[in-house]
Amino acid sequence: MLTEPSPGERLAASLRRSPIHVDPSLASALPAAERRKLLTKLKKAPTRVFIVLVPMVKGGTWTDADQLATVVHDRLGRDGIFITFDDDTENLTAREWGGDHGARDATGAVTIDQAMDDAPLAARLTRALDLIISGTAAREYDRLSDELHERVNARRSTQPASEETENEDGGSLVPLGAGAAGAAVLGVAGLLLWRRRRMASVRREGDGLLMPRTVFATASRATRDQLREQASHEVIAFGELLDETTVPTTDERTRALMAKALDAYQAAGKTLDAADGVPDLAGVLVLVDQGRDALASAQALANGKPEIPPVPLCFFNPLHGDATNKLDWRPVGSRERLRVRTCRACARATRDKQTPDVLTDRRAGRTVPYYEADPAQSVWAETGYGQLREDLIPRILRGD
C-alpha cells in the first residue's frame, strides 16, 4: 500500500530536481526567466543554496520559517543554505547547515536596505545571493544598520526638546525629545526609524501588537548565535511596529504606556548591543515583550477599550514563553516565599518536587540558575526578569 508523501517530502523531491522551488500560488512573483537567471547565479555560490518559496499561513502547512527550513533540510538530507520567506510573503530569511556563509546576514541586509523597498522578489533574491557569493553579507548588514542609527541620531539632534507633533485631529502625540526613548519616539511621531514594511511575523491572533508566540517555539532550542539573530530580528520588528503605530496620547495613562513601550524598545536595543550570553539575549526578548504589551494597552485605550493585561514570560526560563501559572516558590536556602509566574511545564515540575528547566548563567567559573547570580552583577537575578521588581526597564536604561 503506497503512502502519500508528506509536504516536506514533496518539497525535498522538488529540490532534488531543481534548487529553486516556487509554490504555484506564487509563480507570478518569480517568472521563469528570472528563475533561470537565479539558477545561473547559484552555480557561483560557495555552497549549495536552495530557494524554497511557499506561503506562510497561520494554521496552514507552513507557519514558521525555521520549521520549514528544518523540515526540508531533514527530508532532503543535504547541507547548504535554505532561503525562505520570513514568516510572511514579503521578506526573506535563511538558515544554513554545514557552514557559515553569512546567509542570515545577507537576507537581513536586504530586508533593512531602503534601496530594496518595493523591489521585485527576483531583485531581492539576487541581492542576497550576491552578498553570499562575495562574502560581504555581515559587513553590509552592519553598514546598513549603522546608517539607520546615524539617520535617527541626526534627526533627533535637530529636534527641540519640547517639540510635539500633532495628529490629524489636532491631538498631541508623544513629545519629541532627547532621552532614553528618543530614537523610538521619532519613529512613532512619523519620522523614519526603521524601513516601513508589513510583517505578519510580528503579529499573532488577537491584538496584532503582541509578540508572536512562535518566537518561543524555537528560542529555547536555539544556539547562542541563533538566539542573537532572533533577538535582533525581534528588536527590529518592534521598532518597525512602533514606526507604523500612531497613538493619540490625550490622557495620562496612554502617555505613560507609550513612554514605557518606547523605553522598552530603547532598553532592548541597548541590551542587545552589550549582550554577553544567553541570559542577556533572553532579556532582550523580555524587554521587547514588555514593550509590546505596553503598546497594545496604549492602543486599546486610544480605541476606547480596556487595557490588555500583560502576561510575563516564564520566571524560571523566559525562553519557555508565556507564564500562565502562578506559583508560591521558595528558593533553595531561603525562608522567604516568592510569588512568581511560570510556564505550565515549570509549574508542574516544581509542584512535583522536581527541578524545572531553569535558564542558567555562568558565574565565577560555575554554571548556576540565573537567579542565583550575584544581584549586584546581574540585573536579571535582581529583578527576576521583571517579575520581582517593576523597574527592570529604568535599571537597564541607566546602565545597571
Side-chain angles (χ1 to χ4, degrees):
M1 181 178 178
L2 295 177
T3 302
E4 181 72 16
S6 69
E9 290 168 340
R10 287 196 293 269
L11 286 178
S14 173
L15 293 174
R16 291 189 184 99
R17 295 188 296 270
S18 169
I20 300 178
H21 174 89
V22 182
D23 188 87
S25 65
L26 302 171
S28 61
L30 194 66
E34 299 295 345
R35 296 185 209 182
R36 288 193 291 271
K37 294 178 183 177
L38 289 171
L39 286 170
T40 300
K41 189 170 288 290
L42 289 180
K43 296 176 182 178
K44 302 177 183 179
T47 188
R48 284 182 293 210
V49 179
F50 302 97
I51 299 174
V52 190
L53 303 177
V54 298
M56 298 290 182
V57 180
K58 186 176 181 63
T61 302
W62 307 110
T63 61
D64 177 81
D66 284 336
Q67 169 218 14
L68 170 61
T70 299
V71 169
V72 173
H73 168 254
D74 290 346
R75 299 295 182 271
L76 186 60
R78 299 177 186 175
D79 286 348
I81 295 170
F82 292 76
I83 297 177
T84 68
F85 286 122
D86 186 13
D87 302 347
D88 56 28
T89 54
E90 291 190 24
N91 301 293
L92 300 169
T93 189
R95 287 284 304 277
E96 57 182 302
W97 284 266
D100 184 3
H101 301 89
R104 187 71 70 97
D105 283 333
T107 53
V110 171
T111 296
I112 64 174
D113 188 354
Q114 286 183 291
M116 289 283 101
D117 279 359
D118 302 321
L121 177 58
R124 287 181 280 142
L125 286 166
T126 298
R127 177 61 175 150
L129 289 173
D130 284 341
L131 292 172
I132 292 170
I133 293 168
S134 65
T136 60
R139 186 164 68 248
E140 182 67 1
Y141 182 85
D142 289 343
R143 183 186 70 82
L144 290 167
S145 296
D146 289 343
E147 284 185 357
L148 284 172
H149 287 297
E150 288 172 5
R151 286 199 296 274
V152 169
N153 289 335
R155 286 189 172 93
R156 182 170 60 182
S157 66
T158 63
Q159 293 293 331
S162 60
E163 183 177 346
E164 293 185 348
T165 59
E166 293 187 352
N167 61 19
E168 293 178 358
D169 299 325
S172 99
L173 301 177
V174 177
L176 289 178
V185 174
L186 291 175
V188 174
L191 298 177
L192 180 60
L193 171 61
W194 299 108
R195 185 174 74 80
R196 290 186 184 272
R197 62 184 174 96
R198 295 181 301 278
M199 288 188 59
S201 62
V202 302
R203 306 189 182 278
R204 62 178 163 120
E205 191 173 358
D207 194 296
L209 303 180
L210 300 177
M211 182 182 282
R213 268 30 200 168
T214 54
V215 169
F216 301 100
T218 56
S220 61
R221 304 191 305 269
T223 65
R224 184 168 68 174
D225 287 345
Q226 289 169 341
L227 186 58
R228 184 179 294 276
E229 291 175 358
Q230 191 170 1
S232 177
H233 171 87
E234 294 306 323
V235 172
I236 291 174
F238 185 32
E240 291 175 338
L241 186 59
L242 287 168
D243 188 41
E244 294 171 354
T245 306
T246 300
V247 178
T249 54
T250 54
D251 66 89
E252 184 177 352
R253 180 57 182 164
T254 306
R255 285 195 296 272
L257 287 167
M258 283 304 302
K260 181 177 180 179
L262 299 168
D263 284 348
Y265 167 72
Q266 187 77 359
K270 183 175 181 178
T271 301
L272 179 63
D273 289 345
D276 189 29
V278 171
D280 291 342
L281 296 171
V284 174
L285 296 180
V286 168
L287 292 163
V288 171
D289 191 61
Q290 289 189 1
R292 282 179 173 274
D293 282 348
L295 178 60
S297 282
Q299 183 73 78
L301 289 178
N303 292 334
K305 299 177 182 179
E307 289 187 36
I308 299 172
V311 178
L313 303 181
C314 178
F315 171 80
F316 290 112
N317 188 338
L319 300 182
H320 291 169
D322 284 338
T324 55
N325 291 62
K326 295 180 180 178
L327 189 71
D328 287 323
W329 173 70
R330 187 174 66 187
V332 176
S334 172
R335 294 183 179 181
E336 181 182 1
R337 300 191 73 86
L338 301 176
R339 185 71 166 173
V340 297
R341 297 179 66 174
T342 75
C343 69
R344 186 174 292 106
C346 285
R348 185 184 305 115
T350 303
R351 287 167 180 156
D352 291 343
K353 309 301 182 183
Q354 298 175 358
T355 303
D357 178 21
V358 174
L359 181 68
T360 58
D361 199 353
R362 189 75 176 168
R363 296 286 170 170
R366 295 190 308 120
T367 298
V368 298
Y370 82 86
Y371 47 76
E372 292 185 7
D374 181 358
Q377 300 296 322
S378 170
V379 70
W380 318 123
E382 172 71 11
T383 66
Y385 282 103
Q387 285 205 36
L388 305 181
R389 299 181 64 102
E390 297 182 354
D391 59 349
L392 173 62
I393 294 172
R395 282 172 173 270
I396 289 178
L397 290 178
R398 68 174 181 250
D400 287 6

